[in-house]
Amino acid sequence: MKTETNVRDEKDRVIIFDTTLRDGEQCPGATMTFEEKLEVAELLDEMGVDVIEAGFPIASQGDFESVQEIARRANNAVICGLARAQPGDIDRCAEAIRPAARGRIHTFIGTSPLHRKYQMDIDEAECLVRVTASVSRARGLTDDVEWSAMDATRTEADFLCRCVEAAIKAGATTVNIPDTVGYAYHDEFGDLIRMLQERVPGADEIIFSTHCHNDLGLAVANSLSGVSAGARQVECAVNGLGERAGNAALEEVVMALHTRADVMSVWTGVDTTLLTRASKLVSRVTAFPVQYNKAIVGRNAFAHESGIHQDGVLKHAGTFEIMTPESVGVKESSLVMGKHSGRHAFREKLKELGYELGDNAFEDAFVRFKALADVKKHVYDEDIEALVDQEIASAQDRIRVTSLTVIAGTGGPQKATITLHIDDKQHMYEAVGDGPVDATFQAIRALVPHEARLALYQVSAVTEGTDAQAEVTVRLEADAKIATGRGSDTDTMVASARAYVSALNKLLAREARRKPETMLAS
């Protein structure tokens, strides 16, 4: 749902600040490639997110380049980079966001007694000096500066007021009050925002922001409490991705404000019909599955199995649904897909699920769909999503699985014979291992020598039934770098090989960007 800004008061607008690409990517195992970050940023920009925190430019050359490219490509959103209260961080951030039509520097420092003593070993006076110096330096480089008091909810009230006042005097235009460790209760958080607005000089001239973590499952509740108290920016992430238990989930915050506008009387500029598409995209590129009963975007969010619920919904959807599936990008009606379905029906199904594929990618996906339909009695939406996501993810890969034969059981050694398509050439190898999965991975390692360690191997069923597709997640670690790959097939061994190769392709692509001369062993 796109908003009509000409009939709504701007003072009631809640700015949606998305940190999926920064705080979300810091979640262990959620690292994205350069191309994946651009894809996510493009969709966030399209859906009306106001501010995209694109990364932490000082963290690495890769982070700097992705922030810079996102800044270059953004059409609508403010592009923000994060910086510690250090001159080098701030200068690097300013350089990264320079191509943006609208850029923001977000600088922060820990203000709580724990952070002052154990993380930085500074006293209150030094902390205040650093607040002023960092915000002043950032303001000298851009007009849009956000300052954050890390661990604000465990900071002494008087000292927090002094820090916020110093940041405002130095030129901060947005002041963020993070519940960094997810410690606050919603009443406490709302009271904290009110206290700062009442006690700090100049508080009426800036925007207060929330950034709540979910350690106690209160991130969304605390964020909404902050809005109720007068905060007009919410920092959140798609699917609630983020450090530890995650951040406030963007889709939950947006739909809570949208659905209960009668309570909050505020609005956002987010196109809610793109929420499900964004959720699926972030899930795909991070290989973090969305729980079935996840609010707003979970598979069961609009599913009804209870007879009482089914009866009520058939008579009137409002009996058990407080929002329509269409409002978040889910279609109520669906095509029944099977082996007799043609290209036209398949293309319509892809559109319904939010996919737009080029001709070649469509043909590849259609061939795989027909092959799947031949071995599955029922082809569900989730089957098609898994199939297409894998096709998209592997489109630019240098290595692809061509064929796999596995010998398993109690009667002899487990063997795997695999053929890989590597840089336009076919390579085959047979390996013996401690089980079929080990044999398969040993064969891949023989064809593509590498030192990566297998950190995770996980198998789950895409749908129910003995003919269900297996979805395999593989996580590889090498030189402190993590890459996660996913593969799906009705044959678990084939899905395993595809997942391993997917992760390996990401590691190799990353290495190639760092050392362009890197070549695969043949």
Side-chain angles (χ1 to χ4, degrees), residues 190 192-201 203-204 208 226 229-231:
L192 182 59
I193 297 294
R194 291 188 191 92
M195 181 272 293
L196 292 170
Q197 290 176 319
E198 292 168 0
R199 290 182 53 183
V200 177
D204 58 335
F208 277 98

Side-chain angles (χ1 to χ4, degrees), residues 217-340:
L218 297 172
V220 171
N222 286 343
S223 299
L224 297 177
S225 181
V227 171
S228 181
R232 284 299 177 264
Q233 176 175 286
V234 174
E235 304 191 3
C236 44
V238 176
N239 295 337
L241 200 66
E243 295 265 20
R244 302 181 315 280
N247 288 284
L250 180 148
E251 60 278 358
E252 295 178 25
V253 169
V254 168
M255 288 310 294
L257 295 177
H258 173 71
T259 306
R260 297 307 311 274
D262 59 315
V263 175
M264 290 289 199
S265 299
V266 295
W267 57 281
T268 77
V270 172
D271 182 351
T272 65
T273 65
L274 295 177
L275 290 173
T276 297
R277 182 175 155 197
S279 171
K280 290 177 179 178
L281 173 60
V282 171
S283 177
R284 170 169 64 82
V285 301
T286 60
F288 273 45
V290 176
Q291 66 190 65
Y292 286 178
N293 63 334
K294 167 78 169 64
I296 315 301
V297 293
R299 191 173 93 174
N300 292 345
F302 296 96
H304 306 275
E305 187 170 344
S306 161
I308 295 173
H309 285 229
Q310 289 174 341
D311 179 64
V313 169
L314 286 171
K315 291 173 179 174
H316 191 289
T319 55
F320 288 101
E321 290 183 352
I322 61 171
M323 65 195 88
T324 67
E326 293 86 355
S327 69
V328 298
V330 176
K331 300 293 184 182
E332 262 188 310
S333 58
S334 61
L335 296 170
V336 178
M337 303 300 294
K339 63 182 180 181
H340 298 297

Side-chain angles (χ1 to χ4, degrees), residues 397-402 419-428 444 446-449 505 508 520-522:
D397 288 347
R398 297 173 66 186
I399 315 168
R400 302 187 77 171
V401 177
T402 300
T419 301
L420 298 180
H421 188 84
I422 306 174
D423 287 344
D424 299 325
K425 292 182 181 180
Q426 301 280 9
H427 301 265
M428 186 179 73
I444 295 172
L447 289 175
V448 189
N505 272 304
L508 292 170
L520 289 173
S522 59

Side-chain angles (χ1 to χ4, degrees), residues 15 61 65 108 140 173 187 191 236 275 329 377 382 391 398 438 451 508:
I15 296 166
Q61 180 62 23
E65 290 173 357
F108 71 97
T173 50
D187 287 343
D191 289 344
C236 44
L275 290 173
K377 184 176 180 181
E382 292 82 7
E391 196 67 40
R398 297 173 66 186
D438 183 57
E451 299 300 321
L508 292 170

